mmCIF file of all heavy atoms in Angstrom:
data_model
loop_
_atom_site.group_PDB
_atom_site.id
_atom_site.type_symbol
_atom_site.label_atom_id
_atom_site.label_comp_id
_atom_site.label_asym_id
_atom_site.label_seq_id
_atom_site.Cartn_x
_atom_site.Cartn_y
_atom_site.Cartn_z
ATOM 1 N N TYR I 1 111.393 119.140 104.907
ATOM 2 C CA TYR I 1 112.149 119.746 105.993
ATOM 3 C C TYR I 1 111.447 121.040 106.333
ATOM 4 O O TYR I 1 111.292 121.918 105.483
ATOM 5 C CB TYR I 1 113.602 120.001 105.586
ATOM 6 C CG TYR I 1 114.397 120.603 106.726
ATOM 7 C CD1 TYR I 1 114.843 119.795 107.760
ATOM 8 C CD2 TYR I 1 114.669 121.958 106.767
ATOM 9 C CE1 TYR I 1 115.561 120.325 108.822
ATOM 10 C CE2 TYR I 1 115.380 122.497 107.823
ATOM 11 C CZ TYR I 1 115.822 121.688 108.847
ATOM 12 O OH TYR I 1 116.518 122.207 109.906
ATOM 13 N N ASN I 2 110.986 121.165 107.558
ATOM 14 C CA ASN I 2 110.272 122.358 108.001
ATOM 15 C C ASN I 2 111.294 123.305 108.621
ATOM 16 O O ASN I 2 111.805 123.057 109.709
ATOM 17 C CB ASN I 2 109.184 121.973 109.002
ATOM 18 C CG ASN I 2 108.273 123.109 109.349
ATOM 19 O OD1 ASN I 2 108.683 124.265 109.352
ATOM 20 N ND2 ASN I 2 107.024 122.782 109.658
ATOM 21 N N ASP I 3 111.567 124.381 107.932
ATOM 22 C CA ASP I 3 112.586 125.331 108.372
ATOM 23 C C ASP I 3 112.196 126.047 109.663
ATOM 24 O O ASP I 3 113.061 126.390 110.463
ATOM 25 C CB ASP I 3 112.827 126.357 107.268
ATOM 26 C CG ASP I 3 114.289 126.635 107.065
ATOM 27 O OD1 ASP I 3 115.118 125.879 107.610
ATOM 28 O OD2 ASP I 3 114.606 127.615 106.366
ATOM 29 N N SER I 4 110.905 126.264 109.864
ATOM 30 C CA SER I 4 110.477 127.010 111.052
ATOM 31 C C SER I 4 110.717 126.224 112.343
ATOM 32 O O SER I 4 111.024 126.811 113.369
ATOM 33 C CB SER I 4 109.009 127.420 110.945
ATOM 34 O OG SER I 4 108.180 126.286 110.907
ATOM 35 N N ILE I 5 110.605 124.898 112.290
ATOM 36 C CA ILE I 5 110.863 124.099 113.495
ATOM 37 C C ILE I 5 112.175 123.330 113.387
ATOM 38 O O ILE I 5 112.541 122.599 114.302
ATOM 39 C CB ILE I 5 109.697 123.129 113.805
ATOM 40 C CG1 ILE I 5 109.484 122.132 112.667
ATOM 41 C CG2 ILE I 5 108.438 123.880 114.135
ATOM 42 C CD1 ILE I 5 108.475 121.036 112.978
ATOM 43 N N LYS I 6 112.867 123.486 112.256
ATOM 44 C CA LYS I 6 114.166 122.842 112.022
ATOM 45 C C LYS I 6 114.101 121.327 112.202
ATOM 46 O O LYS I 6 114.922 120.722 112.870
ATOM 47 C CB LYS I 6 115.239 123.423 112.954
ATOM 48 C CG LYS I 6 115.371 124.917 112.938
ATOM 49 C CD LYS I 6 116.115 125.376 111.718
ATOM 50 C CE LYS I 6 116.422 126.863 111.834
ATOM 51 N NZ LYS I 6 116.074 127.623 110.697
ATOM 52 N N MET I 7 113.082 120.719 111.592
ATOM 53 C CA MET I 7 112.907 119.271 111.700
ATOM 54 C C MET I 7 112.421 118.696 110.374
ATOM 55 O O MET I 7 111.752 119.378 109.604
ATOM 56 C CB MET I 7 111.894 118.925 112.785
ATOM 57 C CG MET I 7 112.326 119.265 114.175
ATOM 58 S SD MET I 7 111.179 118.575 115.357
ATOM 59 C CE MET I 7 112.320 117.702 116.384
ATOM 60 N N PHE I 8 112.743 117.422 110.181
ATOM 61 C CA PHE I 8 112.186 116.670 109.073
ATOM 62 C C PHE I 8 110.807 116.172 109.490
ATOM 63 O O PHE I 8 110.594 115.788 110.645
ATOM 64 C CB PHE I 8 113.065 115.463 108.741
ATOM 65 C CG PHE I 8 114.306 115.821 107.996
ATOM 66 C CD1 PHE I 8 115.483 116.089 108.684
ATOM 67 C CD2 PHE I 8 114.301 115.888 106.612
ATOM 68 C CE1 PHE I 8 116.633 116.424 107.996
ATOM 69 C CE2 PHE I 8 115.451 116.216 105.923
ATOM 70 C CZ PHE I 8 116.625 116.490 106.619
ATOM 71 N N GLU I 9 109.878 116.186 108.548
ATOM 72 C CA GLU I 9 108.531 115.664 108.787
ATOM 73 C C GLU I 9 108.225 114.639 107.695
ATOM 74 O O GLU I 9 108.479 114.877 106.519
ATOM 75 C CB GLU I 9 107.493 116.772 108.739
ATOM 76 C CG GLU I 9 107.673 117.810 109.824
ATOM 77 C CD GLU I 9 106.686 118.947 109.690
ATOM 78 O OE1 GLU I 9 106.648 119.576 108.611
ATOM 79 O OE2 GLU I 9 105.949 119.183 110.652
ATOM 80 N N ILE I 10 107.691 113.512 108.116
ATOM 81 C CA ILE I 10 107.265 112.462 107.192
ATOM 82 C C ILE I 10 105.801 112.196 107.485
ATOM 83 O O ILE I 10 105.419 112.052 108.647
ATOM 84 C CB ILE I 10 108.080 111.168 107.388
ATOM 85 C CG1 ILE I 10 109.571 111.451 107.208
ATOM 86 C CG2 ILE I 10 107.610 110.087 106.426
ATOM 87 C CD1 ILE I 10 110.453 110.272 107.517
ATOM 88 N N TYR I 11 104.985 112.154 106.449
ATOM 89 C CA TYR I 11 103.565 111.939 106.687
ATOM 90 C C TYR I 11 102.889 111.289 105.494
ATOM 91 O O TYR I 11 103.401 111.301 104.386
ATOM 92 C CB TYR I 11 102.866 113.249 107.051
ATOM 93 C CG TYR I 11 103.019 114.344 106.014
ATOM 94 C CD1 TYR I 11 102.055 114.538 105.047
ATOM 95 C CD2 TYR I 11 104.135 115.168 106.022
ATOM 96 C CE1 TYR I 11 102.188 115.527 104.107
ATOM 97 C CE2 TYR I 11 104.276 116.169 105.084
ATOM 98 C CZ TYR I 11 103.307 116.347 104.129
ATOM 99 O OH TYR I 11 103.452 117.323 103.182
ATOM 100 N N VAL I 12 101.736 110.705 105.767
ATOM 101 C CA VAL I 12 100.845 110.166 104.749
ATOM 102 C C VAL I 12 99.478 110.748 105.048
ATOM 103 O O VAL I 12 98.984 110.647 106.174
ATOM 104 C CB VAL I 12 100.787 108.620 104.791
ATOM 105 C CG1 VAL I 12 99.719 108.100 103.841
ATOM 106 C CG2 VAL I 12 102.131 108.022 104.457
ATOM 107 N N LEU I 13 98.875 111.383 104.054
ATOM 108 C CA LEU I 13 97.539 111.942 104.228
ATOM 109 C C LEU I 13 96.496 110.840 104.135
ATOM 110 O O LEU I 13 96.713 109.824 103.471
ATOM 111 C CB LEU I 13 97.256 112.996 103.152
ATOM 112 C CG LEU I 13 98.133 114.242 103.182
ATOM 113 C CD1 LEU I 13 97.820 115.118 101.973
ATOM 114 C CD2 LEU I 13 97.963 115.017 104.460
ATOM 115 N N ASP I 14 95.355 111.055 104.787
ATOM 116 C CA ASP I 14 94.256 110.099 104.621
ATOM 117 C C ASP I 14 93.755 110.186 103.184
ATOM 118 O O ASP I 14 94.138 111.074 102.427
ATOM 119 C CB ASP I 14 93.148 110.326 105.655
ATOM 120 C CG ASP I 14 92.492 111.699 105.542
ATOM 121 O OD1 ASP I 14 92.756 112.436 104.574
ATOM 122 O OD2 ASP I 14 91.709 112.039 106.439
ATOM 123 N N ASN I 15 92.905 109.260 102.787
ATOM 124 C CA ASN I 15 92.475 109.184 101.389
ATOM 125 C C ASN I 15 91.691 110.402 100.932
ATOM 126 O O ASN I 15 91.630 110.693 99.747
ATOM 127 C CB ASN I 15 91.679 107.905 101.139
ATOM 128 C CG ASN I 15 92.592 106.694 101.110
ATOM 129 O OD1 ASN I 15 93.772 106.805 100.809
ATOM 130 N ND2 ASN I 15 92.062 105.540 101.442
ATOM 131 N N GLU I 16 91.082 111.138 101.855
ATOM 132 C CA GLU I 16 90.375 112.355 101.488
ATOM 133 C C GLU I 16 91.327 113.546 101.418
ATOM 134 O O GLU I 16 90.907 114.654 101.138
ATOM 135 C CB GLU I 16 89.253 112.660 102.494
ATOM 136 C CG GLU I 16 88.059 111.736 102.374
ATOM 137 C CD GLU I 16 88.271 110.410 103.100
ATOM 138 O OE1 GLU I 16 88.903 110.391 104.180
ATOM 139 O OE2 GLU I 16 87.820 109.378 102.581
ATOM 140 N N GLN I 17 92.606 113.328 101.731
ATOM 141 C CA GLN I 17 93.658 114.344 101.729
ATOM 142 C C GLN I 17 93.327 115.518 102.633
ATOM 143 O O GLN I 17 93.647 116.663 102.346
ATOM 144 C CB GLN I 17 93.955 114.814 100.310
ATOM 145 C CG GLN I 17 94.460 113.697 99.442
ATOM 146 C CD GLN I 17 95.295 114.181 98.285
ATOM 147 O OE1 GLN I 17 95.714 115.318 98.250
ATOM 148 N NE2 GLN I 17 95.546 113.294 97.355
ATOM 149 N N GLU I 18 92.683 115.232 103.755
ATOM 150 C CA GLU I 18 92.318 116.289 104.684
ATOM 151 C C GLU I 18 93.250 116.375 105.879
ATOM 152 O O GLU I 18 93.421 117.437 106.454
ATOM 153 C CB GLU I 18 90.895 116.055 105.200
ATOM 154 C CG GLU I 18 89.849 116.150 104.126
ATOM 155 C CD GLU I 18 88.471 115.778 104.615
ATOM 156 O OE1 GLU I 18 88.316 115.459 105.801
ATOM 157 O OE2 GLU I 18 87.552 115.811 103.789
ATOM 158 N N ASP I 19 93.836 115.255 106.267
ATOM 159 C CA ASP I 19 94.601 115.234 107.503
ATOM 160 C C ASP I 19 95.735 114.226 107.402
ATOM 161 O O ASP I 19 95.687 113.299 106.607
ATOM 162 C CB ASP I 19 93.668 114.855 108.659
ATOM 163 C CG ASP I 19 94.218 115.260 110.011
ATOM 164 O OD1 ASP I 19 95.200 116.012 110.067
ATOM 165 O OD2 ASP I 19 93.651 114.814 111.021
ATOM 166 N N ASP I 20 96.762 114.434 108.227
ATOM 167 C CA ASP I 20 97.853 113.458 108.300
ATOM 168 C C ASP I 20 97.341 112.222 109.013
ATOM 169 O O ASP I 20 96.925 112.299 110.164
ATOM 170 C CB ASP I 20 99.038 114.008 109.106
ATOM 171 C CG ASP I 20 99.622 115.274 108.520
ATOM 172 O OD1 ASP I 20 99.406 115.516 107.326
ATOM 173 O OD2 ASP I 20 100.285 116.010 109.264
ATOM 174 N N PHE I 21 97.363 111.091 108.338
ATOM 175 C CA PHE I 21 96.936 109.856 108.992
ATOM 176 C C PHE I 21 98.091 109.269 109.784
ATOM 177 O O PHE I 21 97.913 108.801 110.894
ATOM 178 C CB PHE I 21 96.419 108.851 107.957
ATOM 179 C CG PHE I 21 95.465 107.871 108.543
ATOM 180 C CD1 PHE I 21 94.112 108.129 108.525
ATOM 181 C CD2 PHE I 21 95.906 106.703 109.138
ATOM 182 C CE1 PHE I 21 93.212 107.239 109.086
ATOM 183 C CE2 PHE I 21 95.030 105.806 109.697
ATOM 184 C CZ PHE I 21 93.678 106.077 109.678
ATOM 185 N N PHE I 22 99.265 109.301 109.202
ATOM 186 C CA PHE I 22 100.486 108.892 109.892
ATOM 187 C C PHE I 22 101.460 110.051 109.805
ATOM 188 O O PHE I 22 101.565 110.704 108.770
ATOM 189 C CB PHE I 22 101.095 107.645 109.254
ATOM 190 C CG PHE I 22 100.246 106.423 109.408
ATOM 191 C CD1 PHE I 22 99.474 105.963 108.370
ATOM 192 C CD2 PHE I 22 100.197 105.751 110.617
ATOM 193 C CE1 PHE I 22 98.683 104.850 108.506
ATOM 194 C CE2 PHE I 22 99.402 104.632 110.774
ATOM 195 C CZ PHE I 22 98.639 104.185 109.723
ATOM 196 N N TYR I 23 102.190 110.302 110.899
ATOM 197 C CA TYR I 23 103.066 111.467 110.951
ATOM 198 C C TYR I 23 104.260 111.168 111.839
ATOM 199 O O TYR I 23 104.128 110.514 112.876
ATOM 200 C CB TYR I 23 102.282 112.653 111.520
ATOM 201 C CG TYR I 23 103.102 113.899 111.733
ATOM 202 C CD1 TYR I 23 103.356 114.752 110.673
ATOM 203 C CD2 TYR I 23 103.627 114.219 112.978
ATOM 204 C CE1 TYR I 23 104.116 115.898 110.845
ATOM 205 C CE2 TYR I 23 104.386 115.359 113.161
ATOM 206 C CZ TYR I 23 104.627 116.198 112.086
ATOM 207 O OH TYR I 23 105.379 117.316 112.263
ATOM 208 N N GLY I 24 105.411 111.617 111.439
ATOM 209 C CA GLY I 24 106.610 111.503 112.262
ATOM 210 C C GLY I 24 107.516 112.687 112.019
ATOM 211 O O GLY I 24 107.495 113.288 110.949
ATOM 212 N N LYS I 25 108.301 113.047 113.029
ATOM 213 C CA LYS I 25 109.243 114.151 112.858
ATOM 214 C C LYS I 25 110.512 113.858 113.645
ATOM 215 O O LYS I 25 110.507 113.061 114.594
ATOM 216 C CB LYS I 25 108.631 115.477 113.288
ATOM 217 C CG LYS I 25 108.301 115.576 114.762
ATOM 218 C CD LYS I 25 107.670 116.910 115.074
ATOM 219 C CE LYS I 25 107.311 116.945 116.557
ATOM 220 N NZ LYS I 25 106.648 118.170 116.921
ATOM 221 N N GLY I 26 111.590 114.491 113.225
ATOM 222 C CA GLY I 26 112.861 114.299 113.897
ATOM 223 C C GLY I 26 113.910 115.277 113.394
ATOM 224 O O GLY I 26 113.736 115.902 112.349
ATOM 225 N N ASN I 27 114.989 115.403 114.151
ATOM 226 C CA ASN I 27 116.076 116.313 113.764
ATOM 227 C C ASN I 27 116.802 115.826 112.522
ATOM 228 O O ASN I 27 117.354 116.624 111.777
ATOM 229 C CB ASN I 27 117.069 116.472 114.918
ATOM 230 C CG ASN I 27 116.444 117.213 116.082
ATOM 231 O OD1 ASN I 27 115.715 118.172 115.894
ATOM 232 N ND2 ASN I 27 116.718 116.749 117.285
ATOM 233 N N THR I 28 116.814 114.519 112.305
ATOM 234 C CA THR I 28 117.407 113.948 111.098
ATOM 235 C C THR I 28 116.331 113.139 110.388
ATOM 236 O O THR I 28 115.298 112.801 110.975
ATOM 237 C CB THR I 28 118.588 113.012 111.435
ATOM 238 O OG1 THR I 28 118.089 111.895 112.173
ATOM 239 C CG2 THR I 28 119.655 113.738 112.232
ATOM 240 N N PHE I 29 116.606 112.803 109.143
ATOM 241 C CA PHE I 29 115.657 111.980 108.396
ATOM 242 C C PHE I 29 115.458 110.640 109.086
ATOM 243 O O PHE I 29 114.345 110.134 109.178
ATOM 244 C CB PHE I 29 116.147 111.779 106.950
ATOM 245 C CG PHE I 29 115.254 110.898 106.149
ATOM 246 C CD1 PHE I 29 114.048 111.372 105.655
ATOM 247 C CD2 PHE I 29 115.604 109.581 105.894
ATOM 248 C CE1 PHE I 29 113.203 110.550 104.925
ATOM 249 C CE2 PHE I 29 114.772 108.752 105.160
ATOM 250 C CZ PHE I 29 113.575 109.243 104.672
ATOM 251 N N GLU I 30 116.546 110.066 109.592
ATOM 252 C CA GLU I 30 116.474 108.768 110.266
ATOM 253 C C GLU I 30 115.592 108.837 111.516
ATOM 254 O O GLU I 30 114.792 107.933 111.769
ATOM 255 C CB GLU I 30 117.872 108.258 110.626
ATOM 256 C CG GLU I 30 118.698 107.832 109.429
ATOM 257 C CD GLU I 30 119.339 109.011 108.673
ATOM 258 O OE1 GLU I 30 119.339 110.162 109.209
ATOM 259 O OE2 GLU I 30 119.804 108.790 107.555
ATOM 260 N N GLU I 31 115.740 109.914 112.308
ATOM 261 C CA GLU I 31 114.896 110.078 113.501
ATOM 262 C C GLU I 31 113.431 110.228 113.118
ATOM 263 O O GLU I 31 112.546 109.667 113.764
ATOM 264 C CB GLU I 31 115.331 111.313 114.301
ATOM 265 C CG GLU I 31 116.577 111.145 115.107
ATOM 266 C CD GLU I 31 116.954 112.422 115.843
ATOM 267 O OE1 GLU I 31 116.097 113.315 116.014
ATOM 268 O OE2 GLU I 31 118.127 112.526 116.238
ATOM 269 N N ALA I 32 113.175 110.998 112.064
ATOM 270 C CA ALA I 32 111.796 111.182 111.599
ATOM 271 C C ALA I 32 111.204 109.859 111.143
ATOM 272 O O ALA I 32 110.045 109.543 111.428
ATOM 273 C CB ALA I 32 111.755 112.208 110.471
ATOM 274 N N MET I 33 111.995 109.050 110.459
ATOM 275 C CA MET I 33 111.533 107.744 109.986
ATOM 276 C C MET I 33 111.227 106.822 111.163
ATOM 277 O O MET I 33 110.215 106.120 111.164
ATOM 278 C CB MET I 33 112.588 107.111 109.073
ATOM 279 C CG MET I 33 112.175 105.774 108.499
ATOM 280 S SD MET I 33 110.747 105.860 107.408
ATOM 281 C CE MET I 33 111.505 106.463 105.929
ATOM 282 N N GLU I 34 112.080 106.831 112.181
ATOM 283 C CA GLU I 34 111.838 106.015 113.380
ATOM 284 C C GLU I 34 110.542 106.444 114.057
ATOM 285 O O GLU I 34 109.725 105.607 114.451
ATOM 286 C CB GLU I 34 113.003 106.140 114.366
ATOM 287 C CG GLU I 34 114.280 105.482 113.907
ATOM 288 C CD GLU I 34 114.183 103.970 113.860
ATOM 289 O OE1 GLU I 34 113.663 103.382 114.817
ATOM 290 O OE2 GLU I 34 114.632 103.390 112.858
ATOM 291 N N ASP I 35 110.339 107.757 114.195
ATOM 292 C CA ASP I 35 109.116 108.275 114.813
ATOM 293 C C ASP I 35 107.894 107.896 113.991
ATOM 294 O O ASP I 35 106.874 107.457 114.525
ATOM 295 C CB ASP I 35 109.225 109.802 114.957
ATOM 296 C CG ASP I 35 108.094 110.414 115.765
ATOM 297 O OD1 ASP I 35 107.782 109.872 116.853
ATOM 298 O OD2 ASP I 35 107.528 111.420 115.320
ATOM 299 N N PHE I 36 108.011 108.043 112.680
ATOM 300 C CA PHE I 36 106.927 107.727 111.750
ATOM 301 C C PHE I 36 106.521 106.261 111.842
ATOM 302 O O PHE I 36 105.341 105.923 111.793
ATOM 303 C CB PHE I 36 107.406 108.060 110.334
ATOM 304 C CG PHE I 36 106.406 107.799 109.238
ATOM 305 C CD1 PHE I 36 105.308 108.616 109.085
ATOM 306 C CD2 PHE I 36 106.596 106.758 108.350
ATOM 307 C CE1 PHE I 36 104.394 108.395 108.059
ATOM 308 C CE2 PHE I 36 105.694 106.527 107.327
ATOM 309 C CZ PHE I 36 104.601 107.349 107.178
ATOM 310 N N MET I 37 107.491 105.406 112.026
ATOM 311 C CA MET I 37 107.204 103.966 112.042
ATOM 312 C C MET I 37 106.815 103.434 113.414
ATOM 313 O O MET I 37 105.859 102.680 113.534
ATOM 314 C CB MET I 37 108.416 103.173 111.538
ATOM 315 C CG MET I 37 108.557 103.173 110.052
ATOM 316 S SD MET I 37 109.758 101.974 109.489
ATOM 317 C CE MET I 37 108.898 100.436 109.753
ATOM 318 N N TYR I 38 107.573 103.788 114.437
ATOM 319 C CA TYR I 38 107.508 103.027 115.685
ATOM 320 C C TYR I 38 106.770 103.686 116.834
ATOM 321 O O TYR I 38 106.642 103.086 117.898
ATOM 322 C CB TYR I 38 108.926 102.651 116.139
ATOM 323 C CG TYR I 38 109.602 101.740 115.152
ATOM 324 C CD1 TYR I 38 110.752 102.147 114.484
ATOM 325 C CD2 TYR I 38 109.080 100.488 114.864
ATOM 326 C CE1 TYR I 38 111.368 101.314 113.568
ATOM 327 C CE2 TYR I 38 109.685 99.652 113.948
ATOM 328 C CZ TYR I 38 110.835 100.071 113.307
ATOM 329 O OH TYR I 38 111.440 99.244 112.402
ATOM 330 N N LYS I 39 106.271 104.891 116.690
ATOM 331 C CA LYS I 39 105.462 105.423 117.791
ATOM 332 C C LYS I 39 104.161 104.620 117.866
ATOM 333 O O LYS I 39 103.811 103.922 116.907
ATOM 334 C CB LYS I 39 105.238 106.918 117.638
ATOM 335 C CG LYS I 39 104.412 107.334 116.460
ATOM 336 C CD LYS I 39 104.322 108.843 116.419
ATOM 337 C CE LYS I 39 103.493 109.262 115.225
ATOM 338 N NZ LYS I 39 103.364 110.684 115.137
ATOM 339 N N PRO I 40 103.440 104.688 118.978
ATOM 340 C CA PRO I 40 102.263 103.807 119.156
ATOM 341 C C PRO I 40 101.221 103.865 118.038
ATOM 342 O O PRO I 40 100.552 102.883 117.773
ATOM 343 C CB PRO I 40 101.677 104.286 120.478
ATOM 344 C CG PRO I 40 102.837 104.839 121.222
ATOM 345 C CD PRO I 40 103.731 105.458 120.178
ATOM 346 N N ASP I 41 101.089 105.001 117.367
ATOM 347 C CA ASP I 41 100.142 105.060 116.246
ATOM 348 C C ASP I 41 100.886 105.173 114.918
ATOM 349 O O ASP I 41 100.395 105.741 113.962
ATOM 350 C CB ASP I 41 99.152 106.214 116.429
ATOM 351 C CG ASP I 41 99.825 107.570 116.534
ATOM 352 O OD1 ASP I 41 101.059 107.615 116.704
ATOM 353 O OD2 ASP I 41 99.126 108.582 116.447
ATOM 354 N N GLY I 42 102.063 104.587 114.869
ATOM 355 C CA GLY I 42 102.891 104.631 113.666
ATOM 356 C C GLY I 42 102.565 103.522 112.688
ATOM 357 O O GLY I 42 101.759 102.620 112.954
ATOM 358 N N VAL I 43 103.218 103.583 111.539
ATOM 359 C CA VAL I 43 102.947 102.653 110.453
ATOM 360 C C VAL I 43 103.260 101.207 110.839
ATOM 361 O O VAL I 43 102.601 100.285 110.380
ATOM 362 C CB VAL I 43 103.739 103.064 109.189
ATOM 363 C CG1 VAL I 43 103.604 102.039 108.091
ATOM 364 C CG2 VAL I 43 103.259 104.410 108.705
ATOM 365 N N TYR I 44 104.240 100.997 111.710
ATOM 366 C CA TYR I 44 104.573 99.639 112.116
ATOM 367 C C TYR I 44 103.365 98.954 112.758
ATOM 368 O O TYR I 44 103.199 97.745 112.659
ATOM 369 C CB TYR I 44 105.763 99.655 113.084
ATOM 370 C CG TYR I 44 106.298 98.288 113.410
ATOM 371 C CD1 TYR I 44 107.078 97.602 112.488
ATOM 372 C CD2 TYR I 44 106.019 97.677 114.619
ATOM 373 C CE1 TYR I 44 107.577 96.343 112.770
ATOM 374 C CE2 TYR I 44 106.510 96.418 114.912
ATOM 375 C CZ TYR I 44 107.294 95.754 113.990
ATOM 376 O OH TYR I 44 107.772 94.509 114.275
ATOM 377 N N TYR I 45 102.515 99.726 113.391
ATOM 378 C CA TYR I 45 101.321 99.199 114.059
ATOM 379 C C TYR I 45 100.047 99.465 113.248
ATOM 380 O O TYR I 45 98.956 99.571 113.803
ATOM 381 C CB TYR I 45 101.187 99.822 115.458
ATOM 382 C CG TYR I 45 102.418 99.623 116.292
ATOM 383 C CD1 TYR I 45 103.323 100.655 116.476
ATOM 384 C CD2 TYR I 45 102.701 98.386 116.865
ATOM 385 C CE1 TYR I 45 104.479 100.463 117.233
ATOM 386 C CE2 TYR I 45 103.838 98.190 117.621
ATOM 387 C CZ TYR I 45 104.730 99.236 117.796
ATOM 388 O OH TYR I 45 105.863 99.035 118.532
#
């Protein structure tokens, strides 16, 4: 939970741990999970 933007963030780093490979955010955990999964570059795809 990022207090500065008041949002939940869900992410998976790439294998080199340099950057977020998949990322989602939302006002609730459920919204963040939906963003993480279903946006065009999300885990669902």
Side-chain angles (χ1 to χ4, degrees):
Y1 181 78
N2 189 329
D3 223 12
S4 64
I5 61 173
K6 307 283 189 229
M7 294 189 127
F8 284 92
E9 297 176 304
I10 303 174
Y11 57 95
V12 173
L13 296 174
D14 62 9
N15 286 334
E16 287 82 36
Q17 298 205 14
E18 295 174 1
D19 200 11
D20 300 339
F21 205 92
F22 294 102
Y23 175 82
K25 65 181 178 183
N27 292 320
T28 64
F29 177 76
E30 290 80 12
E31 284 179 18
M33 182 64 79
E34 290 292 315
D35 188 47
F36 180 73
M37 281 192 73
Y38 296 117
K39 66 182 180 180
D41 59 348
V43 174
Y44 188 76
Y45 305 103

